[in-house]
Amino acid sequence: MEENRKIRVGIAHGDISGIGYEVILKTFSEPLMLDLCTPIIYGSPKIAAYYRKALELPANFGIVASASEAAHNKLSIVNCVDDEVKVESSKPTQKTAMAALQALEKAVADYEGGFIDVLVAAPMTLHLLQSDEFHFRACPEYLENRLAQKGDALAILLGNGLRIALATEHLPLREVAASLTVDLLKGKLSAFNKSLKFDFGIAAPRIAVLSLNPHAGDNGLMGKEEEEVISPAIKQMISEGVQCFGPYSADGLIGSGNYARFDGILAMYHDQGLLPLKALSENSVVYTAGLPVVLTSPAHGMACDIVGQGIAREDSFRQAVYDAIDVYRHRVCEKAIRMNPLQKQYYEKKDDSDKLKLDAVEDDA
């Protein structure tokens, strides 16, 4: 990153029938946000202007042909949506879903071109795009495929000091148990440990691993996954130097407050991670680790029931911007620290030590 250059935040506008533009414009109505970063919306100036007027928001923005033209002290919009797309609040359609995908694709292309540093995605849904060619259940899954890094992405939920990673994400509950394997959990624990170090600056992270079944399986009475899958994965990762502990019953660990003793928690499925996060944090964020691009998004949906009422809270979206910037800075620092490491030297034998001393004496002479 060039010295003194503000971090360039690419913002995918999400589905235009949701609260995406409301939370984006509210976030950057605050002038201090423009001192923190250079925000670039990938979307539609026409639709942004519609929501700004309808909701009487004070946000100002400039229209640019590409991210390279974005002013450092102003909210900019790159038009990447067909102007014929109609705004029908609270009514997502295949066209609005495609508009969200087009914005995301353009933002990723600009990241690959070096025009933005991080990506923040407003809420969107992909179920209207499902076809033989498009079969992704979530934005991170799509980006994982788009950036040719299949299997690397890891969803980490952030809020109120919590960092909760998901072993499985967008799966029906009936498929979770069969999806859990020792290799899967080892991969997730390894990725989580790496992210805690490099993305969050935690030198020696401690990870709590949740159980799948009630009472951590109760010695096999309520399920075998703890004994046959989760515990073996934990033991193998400990032998590889990862500090992970458990499996813990989710209600016991969270309810007792003992989760605060750990730097991160690995949950087995979507709601097991989301429920405590949203109960304990008002401004929760989803960060996707394991990708070359820093990707965050607010941990809420399109909120179609309140679109156009002006009551959507921007706190989670603003926090998603903060978290993306923080992770990016950690990555830059970690890269700089490891750029020119000192070569390790070992003198395990007495002869080596004596020779070293003799060389030093000869140099002095």
Side-chain angles (χ1 to χ4, degrees), residues 319-339:
Q319 188 62 48
V321 174
Y322 291 157
D323 288 338
I325 291 171
D326 285 345
V327 170
Y328 181 80
R329 286 173 173 164
H330 279 302
R331 286 190 179 186
V332 170
C333 288
E334 289 293 333
K335 183 179 180 180
I337 290 170
R338 288 165 171 75
M339 189 172 294

Side-chain angles (χ1 to χ4, degrees), residues 6 34 37-40 60-63 70-76:
K6 287 189 289 187
L34 300 177
C37 64
T38 300
I40 305 160
N60 294 314
F61 56 81
I63 303 171
H72 293 302
N73 59 349
K74 191 174 186 179
L75 177 63
S76 300

Side-chain angles (χ1 to χ4, degrees), residues 12-20 90-102 104 121-130 134 136-140 142 170 300-304:
H13 69 168
D15 196 303
I16 60 176
S17 64
I19 61 170
S90 306
K91 296 180 180 179
T93 65
Q94 193 172 33
K95 287 186 177 181
T96 64
M98 181 58 69
L101 182 60
Q102 288 171 343
L104 181 62
M124 63 183 291
T125 179
L126 300 182
H127 76 274
L128 293 168
L129 297 173
Q130 297 302 305
F134 191 97
F136 306 104
R137 298 181 179 182
C139 176
Y142 163 74
H170 293 94
H300 60 67
M302 292 164 50
C304 289

Side-chain angles (χ1 to χ4, degrees), residues 40-361:
I40 305 160
I41 300 174
Y42 291 85
S44 166
K46 180 180 177 180
I47 296 170
Y50 167 82
Y51 277 110
R52 180 178 62 180
K53 181 178 179 181
L55 300 172
E56 299 181 348
L57 298 174
N60 294 314
F61 56 81
I63 303 171
V64 295
S66 70
S68 62
E69 300 176 4
H72 293 302
N73 59 349
K74 191 174 186 179
L75 177 63
S76 300
I77 299 183
V78 176
N79 189 17
C80 48
V81 175
D82 185 353
D83 286 340
E84 298 302 315
V85 176
K86 295 181 180 180
V87 178
E88 293 187 68
S89 298
S90 306
K91 296 180 180 179
T93 65
Q94 193 172 33
K95 287 186 177 181
T96 64
M98 181 58 69
L101 182 60
Q102 288 171 343
L104 181 62
E105 175 63 26
K106 176 60 177 173
V108 174
D110 273 5
Y111 163 76
E112 292 179 311
F115 298 114
I116 61 173
D117 300 308
V118 302
L119 176 58
V120 180
M124 63 183 291
T125 179
L126 300 182
H127 76 274
L128 293 168
L129 297 173
Q130 297 302 305
S131 65
D132 292 339
E133 293 75 29
F134 191 97
H135 47 80
F136 306 104
R137 298 181 179 182
C139 176
E141 185 181 349
Y142 163 74
L143 286 179
E144 190 177 49
N145 181 79
R146 169 68 175 73
L147 297 169
Q149 294 199 208
K150 185 65 177 175
D152 291 342
L154 175 69
I156 303 178
L157 315 171
L158 308 175
N160 197 32
L162 285 166
R163 303 177 193 90
I164 304 178
L166 301 178
T168 64
E169 194 173 350
H170 293 94
L171 284 179
L173 192 57
R174 67 176 178 273
E175 297 178 14
V176 171
S179 299
L180 295 177
T181 65
V182 172
D183 286 342
L184 172 76
L185 294 183
K186 286 177 62 180
K188 297 298 182 181
L189 283 167
S190 178
F192 196 15
N193 185 65
K194 181 179 179 181
S195 180
L196 290 170
K197 288 182 176 181
F198 291 93
D199 297 337
F200 297 95
I202 301 170
R206 292 166 51 86
I207 301 172
V209 182
L210 298 183
S211 63
L212 173 68
N213 299 299
H215 305 296
D218 200 3
N219 293 314
L221 181 63
M222 297 187 185
K224 301 291 186 181
E225 287 80 9
E226 285 73 22
E227 295 180 355
E228 297 178 355
V229 179
I230 303 176
S231 290
I234 292 172
K235 291 178 181 178
Q236 290 185 39
M237 292 311 296
I238 290 174
S239 70
E240 295 179 19
V242 176
Q243 296 187 82
C244 50
F245 308 87
Y248 299 108
S249 173
D251 63 325
L253 184 72
I254 304 299
S256 66
N258 286 333
Y259 65 87
R261 299 181 179 182
F262 298 93
D263 301 299
I265 300 169
L266 180 66
M268 293 298 107
Y269 56 92
H270 184 275
D271 284 12
Q272 189 183 52
L274 266 291
L275 282 171
L277 179 84
K278 292 192 174 183
L280 296 170
S281 172
E282 294 183 356
N283 309 324
S284 46
V285 172
V286 180
Y287 164 57
T288 304
L291 298 176
V293 63
V294 175
L295 170 66
T296 63
S297 57
H300 60 67
M302 292 164 50
C304 289
D305 56 323
I306 61 170
V307 173
Q309 299 178 35
I311 60 175
R313 294 177 55 185
E314 72 276 18
D315 308 65
S316 289
F317 187 86
R318 182 184 293 113
Q319 188 62 48
V321 174
Y322 291 157
D323 288 338
I325 291 171
D326 285 345
V327 170
Y328 181 80
R329 286 173 173 164
H330 279 302
R331 286 190 179 186
V332 170
C333 288
E334 289 293 333
K335 183 179 180 180
I337 290 170
R338 288 165 171 75
M339 189 172 294
N340 295 302
L342 294 174
Q343 184 178 355
K344 291 183 178 179
Q345 299 185 33
Y346 298 95
Y347 298 99
E348 297 178 353
K349 298 180 181 179
K350 185 175 184 297
D351 289 344
D352 292 334
S353 178
D354 290 343
K355 182 178 183 300
L356 186 63
K357 293 176 182 177
L358 180 59
D359 290 342
V361 171

